[in-house]
């Protein structure tokens, strides 16, 4: 499993980009107070449904695994020389 030096920042950015993606698809903005766990699950499921990322097997769909998948999804969106991609 590839890890990044700035993985926490990448997850935060992935949630922002994922939320914008969801809004462009017609979904409402997350209500204030929505937990990070719920946001990760919702964005992960949307991206998996839209085939934007490879879904995890059902028994591997845990919080840390879904967060890591979102980070990997964001890493593919960033330019190769972006500072967040440092390992």
């Amino acid at each position: 499993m590839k890890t990044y030096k700035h993985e926490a920042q990448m997850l935060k950015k992935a949630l922002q980009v994922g939320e914008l993606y969801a809004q462009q698809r017609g979904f409402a903005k997350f209500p204030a107070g929505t937990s990070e766990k719920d946001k990760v699950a919702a964005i992960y499921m949307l991206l998996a449904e839209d085939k934007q990322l490879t879904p995890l097997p059902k028994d591997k769909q845990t919080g840390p695994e879904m967060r890591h998948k979102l980070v990997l999804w964001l890493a593919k969106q960033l330019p190769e020389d972006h500072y967040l991609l440092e390992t």
Side-chain angles (χ1 to χ4, degrees):
M1 183 185 323
K2 186 171 186 174
T3 59
Y4 294 96
K5 183 177 178 181
H6 304 287
E7 196 154 333
Q9 291 173 322
M10 289 179 74
L11 177 62
K12 186 176 180 180
K13 188 68 169 173
L15 290 176
Q16 291 172 346
V17 173
E19 188 168 352
L20 286 174
Y21 177 81
Q23 288 175 354
Q24 290 172 348
R25 289 266 288 110
F27 293 93
K29 192 173 186 175
F30 287 110
T34 304
S35 70
E36 181 180 286
K37 178 182 174 183
D38 291 339
K39 287 181 184 181
V40 166
I43 292 170
Y44 166 82
M45 288 181 205
L46 174 63
L47 292 172
E49 180 72 26
D50 288 354
K51 297 183 181 9
Q52 296 293 314
L53 54 78
T54 306
L56 293 162
K58 295 279 186 206
D59 62 328
K60 300 278 186 182
Q61 289 182 0
T62 62
E65 294 287 337
M66 287 190 286
R67 285 194 297 271
H68 187 70
K69 275 291 202 178
L70 290 178
V71 167
L72 294 177
W73 169 75
L74 178 68
K76 291 179 183 177
Q77 312 301 316
L78 296 174
E80 289 182 21
D81 60 345
H82 198 280
Y83 78 95
L84 288 176
L85 296 178
E86 292 176 13
T87 54

